[in-house]
Amino acid sequence: MWGGRFAEGPSAVMREINASLPFDKQLWRQDIAGSKAHVAMLGATGIVSAEDAAAIGAGLDRVAADYQANGVPADDLTLEDIHMLTEARLADAIGPVAGRLHTARSRNDQVATDFRLWVRDAIDAVVAALEGLDAALLARAEQHAADVMPGFTHLQSAQPVTLGHHLMAYHEMVTRDLSRFRDARARLNLCPLGAAALAGTSFPIDRHATADALGFDGPTRNSLDSVSDRDFAIEYLTSAVQCSLHLSRLAEEFVLWASQPFGFVALSDAWSTGSSIMPQKRNPDAAELVRGHAGRILGCMTSLMVTMKGLPLAYSKDMQDDKPPAFEAHDLLGLSIAAMTGMVASATFRTDRMRALAESGFATATDLADWLVREAGLPFREAHHVTGRVVKRAEELAVTLDALPLDEMTAIDRRIDARVFDVLSVDASVASRTSFGGTAPDNVRAAIRAAQGDAA
């Protein structure tokens, strides 16, 4: 392609380090789409004859059909990237007129356009997958809106909540993830095509036409920034990292809950594995792999950020390494979302075990303190102190708070009376948490209805 300037060809090592075809062949659909929009514009503006534009467009369709049927060959590294391969295949199909396709564009604006199109497609795929995960979370939350479980801080039993409320916390995380991906998509949706190498072109091109043809909101506004910007890929990766952290937290809970000490959940056979030596084992490997993928996705984001951090304008060959981390992160994130969706949808939640543990650990102690404030008029700090003494006595007698005899409580503070038993059960505790965003079953059901309405 650029041999006119050089007397000798590149060395074998140079050819290998310089070639991106083995990985950027993934962009072939976007490359064909961008090329078709470009040549249609060349024909419409008269830069290329209508006859030549039609021949090139038809030839690109033939190349695309061949890629679709037979895959993209990546064995000839003299064709450095998907752009050169496609142009060579086009020349094989229609002859020298294929050389007119590259009029008024550069590989710099071509790859920037292709990559934006790919990231846009990737975001659309992730959004669809996250909507599926969210639907699974909402369905299981609705099913378990009133089922009591222990809520934890420091992984210690803290206050009773409902399983539905717990699952809805992950709905909130997914909602934020969806917002981040959608915001990133809105920002990336400008078209670099026509910026050429870095300075624009002297041909009378119509950049608005190519932007419209490719579904962009308009063309990018500065030719230097057009070819050197990779913010859109970094935003995609930062959104992917945050999403993967949420998935990892949910995966970690499934790992803990599936263990015998917790016993909160049984994962289906579809999302479990066994042991090569221990026949009794039932391992939550899918959840563990989702947890592990989060670290790899974070590494992908770091890789691209470090690549871009010191590059002067406009294009540098370092930027060829922008695509592998995006491709890898996208594949890992897609697997992670699919796995967590499957686990959430098919898990058997052992609500009897959850309730039993919620009833242990004095999880309604805060309810006793609140009762002392409301009904006995104690300042909260004094109520906290009294409650601590009551808990200590229940612990000494090895009983739950709602099973502690009233005379034991009145011996600690005479202001406690029989009405206190109205608030000491776990059901009474969760039912009382009616503040906006609280765990009361009616609150949970209202939150689910609101979420379902937003999704409709």
Side-chain angles (χ1 to χ4, degrees):
M1 180 192 66
W2 34 259
R5 172 65 176 83
F6 293 80
E8 298 180 8
S11 70
V13 172
M14 179 60 192
R15 184 177 292 116
E16 185 170 352
I17 197 174
N18 193 50
S20 58
L21 181 58
F23 56 82
D24 70 18
K25 64 182 182 180
Q26 289 193 46
L27 298 175
W28 74 262
R29 291 177 179 83
Q30 292 79 15
D31 197 61
I32 293 288
S35 293
K36 289 189 69 175
H38 182 67
V39 76
M41 178 275 296
L42 293 178
T45 55
I47 296 171
V48 167
S49 71
E51 181 182 6
D52 285 349
I56 292 170
L60 287 167
D61 286 337
R62 289 168 59 187
V63 174
D66 181 54
Y67 287 162
Q68 183 68 48
N70 303 308
V72 180
D75 51 340
D76 185 358
L77 297 185
T78 61
L79 299 170
E80 299 173 5
D81 51 38
I82 186 60
H83 323 298
M84 290 180 64
L85 175 65
T86 297
E87 191 170 330
R89 287 299 182 97
L90 180 64
D92 290 342
I94 66 172
V97 70
R100 298 191 184 280
L101 171 60
H102 210 54
T103 305
R105 77 173 182 185
S106 162
R107 279 190 299 175
N108 293 356
D109 63 333
Q110 187 179 0
V111 69
T113 302
D114 291 358
F115 198 20
R116 280 191 189 232
L117 289 170
W118 183 90
V119 171
R120 192 175 69 183
D121 291 342
I123 288 175
D124 291 344
V126 169
V127 165
L130 284 175
E131 288 173 343
L133 172 59
D134 197 39
L137 287 167
L138 292 174
R140 300 313 301 273
E142 188 170 29
Q143 181 182 356
H144 296 288
D147 288 323
V148 176
M149 67 172 289
F152 298 97
T153 62
H154 308 278
L155 209 56
Q156 303 292 310
S157 184
Q159 292 178 306
V161 296
T162 68
L163 175 55
H165 191 58
H166 193 107
L167 294 172
M168 285 298 287
Y170 286 97
H171 155 75
E172 295 296 329
M173 297 180 209
V174 170
T175 298
R176 293 193 295 273
D177 291 329
L178 285 166
S179 175
R180 272 183 283 270
F181 281 114
R182 288 166 176 155
D183 284 350
R185 191 192 195 282
R187 269 186 293 277
L188 75 77
N189 206 37
L190 296 173
C191 184
L193 195 58
L198 74 162
T201 178
S202 59
F203 288 97
I205 62 173
D206 185 349
R207 293 191 63 205
H208 290 277
T210 49
D212 289 345
L214 293 169
F216 287 106
D217 296 330
T220 51
R221 292 178 289 273
N222 181 283
S223 60
L224 284 167
D225 182 59
S226 297
V227 299
S228 62
D229 169 48
R230 293 298 183 269
D231 288 4
F232 61 92
I234 291 174
E235 279 203 69
Y236 171 69
L237 288 174
T238 54
S239 299
V241 166
Q242 184 64 74
C243 180
S244 73
L245 297 183
H246 291 154
L247 297 172
S248 181
R249 295 182 74 178
L250 180 56
E252 169 66 6
E253 300 223 84
F254 272 50
V255 170
L256 288 173
W257 291 1
S259 68
Q260 285 81 3
F262 275 82
F264 285 3
V265 69
L267 297 178
S268 70
D269 289 351
W271 302 105
S272 305
T273 64
S275 165
S276 64
I277 189 173
M278 295 170 284
Q280 84 282 8
K281 290 298 294 297
R282 191 178 174 81
N283 299 326
D285 281 9
E288 292 171 357
L289 288 166
V290 169
R291 192 174 58 185
H293 286 172
R296 293 175 62 188
I297 293 170
L298 175 59
C300 292
M301 180 195 72
T302 303
S303 171
L304 182 53
M305 283 185 166
V306 172
T307 294
M308 296 300 299
K309 73 175 183 63
L311 296 185
L313 296 178
Y315 181 85
S316 299
K317 195 69 170 181
D318 315 44
M319 293 167 68
Q320 182 167 286
D321 285 337
D322 57 357
K323 287 168 282 296
F327 294 162
E328 180 182 1
H330 181 65
D331 290 345
L332 291 171
L333 185 61
L335 280 172
S336 295
I337 296 172
M340 288 314 308
T341 302
M343 280 184 273
V344 168
S346 63
T348 299
F349 293 106
R350 292 174 170 164
T351 53
D352 55 342
R353 172 67 175 167
M354 291 180 176
R355 170 175 282 274
L357 288 186
E359 290 173 341
S360 67
F362 313 108
T364 58
T366 306
D367 298 276
L368 172 56
D370 289 346
W371 184 90
L372 288 168
V373 171
R374 282 195 312 271
E375 304 299 331
L378 275 68
F380 182 79
R381 283 301 165 206
E382 184 181 353
H384 187 286
H385 180 71
V386 170
T387 300
R389 293 173 61 197
V390 172
V391 168
K392 182 178 180 181
R393 184 57 180 156
E395 190 173 39
E396 290 169 349
L397 296 177
V399 297
T400 60
L401 285 179
D402 60 344
L404 184 66
L406 179 60
D407 60 353
E408 293 286 349
M409 287 191 267
T410 56
I412 294 169
D413 194 297
R414 291 186 178 277
R415 290 168 288 189
I416 300 175
D417 62 49
R419 295 175 299 161
V420 76
F421 291 105
D422 293 337
V423 303
L424 292 183
S425 73
V426 292
D427 291 304
S429 177
V430 297
S432 72
R433 305 293 170 179
T434 56
S435 60
F436 185 81
T439 191
D442 287 345
N443 285 34
V444 174
R445 294 186 183 100
I448 294 167
R449 288 194 298 271
Q452 290 169 335
D454 291 342

